[in-house]
Amino acid sequence: MNRSLLRLDLAQDRDIVAARQRARQVSALLGFDSQDQVRIATAVSELARNAMRHAGGGAIEFMLTEAPSRGVALQANPLLQIVISDHGPGIANLDDAISEAANGELKLGLVAARRLMDTFDVYSGKGRGTTITLGKFLPRRNESVPAARAATIADQLSAYGMADPTAEIQQQNRELLRSLEELRLRKEELARLNSELEDTNRGVMALYAELEERAAHLRLADETKTRFLSAVSHEFRTPVNSILALSRILLHRLDGELTAEQEKQVTYIRQAAEQLSTMVDDLLDLRKVESGKLQLRVETFNVTDLFGALRGMFKPLSIKDTVSLTFEEIGALPELHTDQGKVSQILRNLISNALKFTEAGSVRVTARLAADTDTIVFSVADTGIGIAAKNHRHIFDEFTQVENPLQTSVKGTGLGLPLSQRLAGLLGGTIDISSELGKGSVFSLAIPVRLESSAPLGTPAVPEARAAQRVLIVDDSEVERYALRQFLSSSTFEVIEASGGYDGLRLARQSHPDLIFLDLAMPDVHGLEVLKMLKAIDETRDIPVILFTSQRPDDIGEDQAAAASGLLLKSELSRESVAAVIRRASSPGAIHNASHA
């Protein structure tokens, strides 16, 4: 329903002032705030000016109407609707006149009115004039305006006298001053926020510096720990082997008989020495994995032979009569092309743990082909004491042993599972656990059927995608360094970071990385200049460098970038693209445009 509030003819220039004044009066009576009153008055005066100057006059009508609310049944929004019409020549190229790129007095008036109001519609025909309909939703939407209130507003508007141009100019000046004051306050607020932001940025930079310093200390501590444990482990091996040899001599009675008590004591000594020997071996293997010195021996074998060797290995061990150990191949399995010794070592650890923590029931070892047919899954399932969900992650931490009812009778080093997990990573696989306290556990080792390697069968080999162990990332963006770091396995790569080109050169000479990811656009020095310097220094000349950049290949000079070993686009960052570019960069004869995917 439409209710007319006021009609105003446009015949003289003074009527433009009247139109503005009437628009403000109508909007005030309808409850619009001061800002909306200014918007409505400005839109009306601009269109009234257009009607006077381009059509010689016209008329304005203010109405209350109910506009349907989209998507809400049986509801309408009260709308102040203003219709401005004239009988002029019309507007040529109407679409162009109301576009945001419009210019000129007529066009700017239309665009300004369109921005200031909630609804805007225009009709113009050649020689038939122009009709523009504006709308502004009332402040309290979805509440109809009673007819009595509309009539009262119309009466109030009729009672107002003729427009006073001087008063209107004064009102506009007050509005302008108010707007300028608001702008000043907003400018002050913006300045305050900028100052706070600068303080925050300085704090963040200080925090980054502190974190970098702490990270350096941690890296140094980790390196010191690794060297210490490796040295101690090697020193332990000789006396441990001596204890084992001497206890073997005594238990074989090579120097005479032992009493029953003496045999028990020597047996305890031997068991303790065997446990210490296992810990020493696991420690050495762990440090080799961390330092990248553990070599893989890739060969072809089948699961039947692997299970046969494991079955023969565990058969003479003292397995409880109440626990059965079975091996089962599920379905037809292909031959494996990977490191048999490492697969066997992982399974031995999992089976040993299962037997230790199962007092009665079974330990079942199975192998099956995963759905993708490229992965084989070994599972070790037991009916033992199980592991609470909260401890699933902690059991893979070094020297960690979860409290359990068998803790007094079952001993361990806390290194078997961490080592197994890292060996699985070297084989391109993972170890998962499914366990519930009191209901047994299932440990699953998933590895690729074929571990690709450029080395001939039977020779030490490292997976191509994992050839580099120490990686240096040179990039001024913390976010970009973080993103790349997430796609580098922490169990395979030691990641060093530099926030600029000169810092990267320093770290490259100090840490001798196996691979460098180098950004191009850096504030202190361009990446291509860093590349030139890396290739000019004897210490860093042979390190493969992968350009890590947002620039497209066509934007990089081929001659300048020819010394690089690969290109990785930041827009194409993924686990697959990182593995592929590392594999190609680490291969003999790698060239700049080998890959960026």
Side-chain angles (χ1 to χ4, degrees):
M1 176 184 291
N2 294 337
R3 300 188 182 94
S4 180
L5 300 176
L6 178 68
R7 179 181 173 85
L8 178 67
D9 290 326
L10 298 172
Q12 307 175 50
D13 285 343
R14 63 180 296 176
D15 293 334
I16 299 174
V17 178
R20 181 182 182 90
Q21 194 173 50
R22 288 299 199 180
R24 185 186 294 104
Q25 292 170 354
V26 170
S27 56
L29 290 171
L30 289 173
F32 287 99
D33 61 27
S34 58
Q35 289 187 345
D36 276 341
Q37 291 177 32
V38 173
R39 292 188 182 101
I40 295 169
T42 302
V44 170
S45 64
E46 285 294 314
L47 296 179
R49 181 179 292 105
N50 283 347
M52 285 296 301
R53 295 191 179 178
H54 299 285
I60 303 177
E61 185 173 9
F62 298 89
M63 295 182 293
L64 271 176
T65 183
E66 304 291 339
S69 179
R70 293 181 180 178
V72 182
L74 302 178
Q75 284 189 344
N77 291 329
L79 183 76
L80 168 60
Q81 194 170 72
I82 306 165
V83 181
I84 303 165
S85 58
D86 64 59
H87 299 288
I91 303 174
N93 299 322
L94 181 60
D95 291 338
D96 179 53
I98 62 176
S99 70
E100 291 294 324
N103 52 42
E105 184 181 350
L106 170 63
K107 297 179 179 181
L108 289 177
L110 291 171
V111 172
R114 186 178 188 181
R115 289 176 180 171
L116 293 169
M117 303 298 284
D118 293 335
T119 65
F120 180 90
D121 185 54
V122 58
Y123 168 79
S124 185
K126 187 174 181 180
R128 288 182 288 179
T130 301
T131 300
I132 301 173
T133 305
L134 307 175
K136 195 76 171 176
F137 290 109
L138 267 61
R140 304 178 68 182
R141 294 192 180 186
N142 297 326
E143 292 185 10
S144 297
V145 178
R149 183 186 173 199
T152 300
I153 292 173
D155 291 341
Q156 288 176 307
L157 291 170
S158 299
Y160 287 142
M162 294 295 293
D164 182 356
T166 302
E168 182 59 28
I169 291 174
Q170 291 175 344
Q171 178 64 29
Q172 285 185 265
N173 287 339
R174 285 193 293 270
E175 292 170 357
L176 179 59
L177 291 173
R178 186 164 53 247
S179 298
L180 290 174
E181 178 63 13
E182 290 177 358
L183 286 174
R184 185 187 65 79
L185 293 175
R186 291 186 181 182
K187 185 178 179 180
E188 290 178 355
E189 178 67 11
L190 182 60
R192 184 184 63 80
L193 292 175
N194 282 336
S195 176
E196 291 181 0
L197 183 59
E198 289 176 1
D199 291 341
T200 302
N201 285 339
R202 283 192 291 269
V204 170
M205 294 302 296
L207 180 60
Y208 276 146
E210 183 179 348
L211 289 175
E212 188 68 29
E213 183 180 356
R214 292 188 180 183
H217 287 309
L218 287 174
R219 285 194 294 269
L220 179 60
D222 187 65
E223 292 174 1
T224 303
K225 179 196 71 173
T226 298
R227 289 195 298 269
F228 171 76
L229 289 176
S230 295
V232 170
S233 298
H234 282 291
E235 293 299 323
F236 274 171
R237 179 163 284 179
T238 299
V240 168
N241 288 338
S242 298
I243 295 172
L244 288 172
L246 292 173
S247 63
R248 191 180 301 113
I249 290 173
L250 293 172
L251 290 174
H252 282 76
R253 273 72 169 182
L254 296 183
D255 289 329
E257 287 296 324
L258 300 175
T259 65
E261 190 63 27
Q262 289 173 333
E263 182 175 6
K264 181 187 294 186
Q265 293 169 356
V266 173
T267 300
Y268 287 155
I269 293 172
R270 179 172 179 79
Q271 289 175 351
E274 287 176 342
Q275 183 177 346
L276 186 57
S277 177
T278 300
M279 184 173 67
V280 169
D281 290 340
D282 288 347
L283 269 175
L284 288 174
D285 283 345
L286 272 171
R287 301 315 154 199
K288 285 180 181 178
V289 172
E290 290 180 352
S291 63
K293 295 179 181 178
L294 186 67
Q295 294 181 327
L296 299 181
R297 185 173 296 275
V298 180
E299 56 185 315
T300 301
F301 61 97
N302 57 54
V303 174
T304 301
D305 292 340
L306 175 66
F307 277 3
L310 289 171
R311 190 182 293 109
M313 187 179 303
F314 281 97
K315 186 174 182 180
L317 299 180
S318 56
I319 300 176
K320 309 179 188 76
D321 294 335
T322 55
V323 180
S324 63
L325 174 61
T326 60
F327 294 82
E328 181 181 355
E329 299 177 38
I330 302 175
L333 302 177
E335 288 188 326
L336 279 75
H337 183 75
T338 186
D339 189 320
Q340 181 177 3
K342 298 298 182 288
V343 175
S344 177
Q345 185 177 357
I346 296 170
L347 292 177
R348 287 200 308 270
N349 277 330
L350 298 181
I351 295 170
S352 296
N353 283 345
L355 292 172
K356 285 179 186 178
F357 297 105
T358 303
E359 292 185 294
S362 65
V363 174
R364 182 169 174 258
V365 185
T366 61
R368 61 179 175 83
L369 201 61
D372 59 10
T373 72
D374 291 329
T375 302
I376 192 165
V377 180
F378 295 94
S379 295
V380 179
D382 64 61
T383 57
I385 60 176
I387 304 170
K390 65 179 181 180
N391 294 320
H392 286 185
R393 183 176 60 85
H394 298 300
I395 60 174
F396 291 99
D397 296 335
E398 294 178 21
F399 302 105
T400 297
Q401 295 187 18
V402 178
E403 292 186 7
N404 60 82
L406 304 179
Q407 198 161 21
T408 56
S409 58
V410 175
K411 301 296 182 181
T413 64
L415 293 174
L417 285 177
L419 175 60
S420 297
Q421 185 186 52
R422 298 189 187 187
L423 290 176
L426 281 180
L427 298 176
T430 58
I431 294 180
D432 293 320
I433 177 178
S434 174
S435 182
E436 189 175 343
L437 200 60
K439 296 185 179 180
S441 305
V442 179
F443 284 85
S444 299
L445 166 67
I447 58 172
V449 171
R450 185 175 183 83
L451 180 62
E452 297 297 333
S453 172
S454 58
L457 296 182
T459 61
V462 178
E464 289 180 5
R466 299 174 181 268
Q469 296 297 330
R470 178 172 291 179
V471 175
L472 171 61
I473 303 175
V474 185
D475 196 315
D476 62 298
S477 171
E478 170 70 16
V479 176
E480 302 292 355
R481 298 198 305 271
Y482 173 81
L484 177 57
R485 190 169 66 243
Q486 300 313 298
F487 294 107
L488 294 170
S489 171
S490 60
S491 64
T492 306
F493 299 104
E494 175 193 350
V495 179
I496 307 168
E497 297 182 19
S499 59
Y502 292 120
D503 191 33
L505 283 169
R506 178 183 61 80
L507 287 175
R509 300 185 70 171
Q510 288 181 355
S511 61
H512 303 290
D514 300 286
L515 185 67
I516 298 175
F517 284 90
L518 177 62
D519 185 26
L520 292 183
M522 292 182 289
D524 59 344
V525 58
H526 196 275
L528 291 178
E529 292 300 318
V530 177
L531 178 62
K532 287 181 184 178
M533 289 184 275
L534 286 170
K535 295 306 177 183
I537 301 172
D538 291 338
E539 302 166 84
T540 59
R541 180 177 293 121
D542 297 327
I543 301 175
V545 178
I546 297 172
L547 299 182
F548 182 50
T549 178
S550 301
Q551 297 183 30
R552 303 301 302 179
D554 295 342
D555 299 329
I556 304 172
E558 291 186 7
D559 294 339
Q560 293 177 299
S565 302
L567 174 66
L568 178 63
L569 297 182
K570 294 181 179 180
S571 60
E572 300 178 6
L573 192 61
S574 68
R575 190 173 299 279
E576 293 75 16
S577 65
V578 172
V581 76
I582 292 177
R583 183 169 59 249
R584 289 186 172 91
S586 303
S587 63
I591 57 174
H592 160 66
N593 59 354
S595 170
H596 63 266

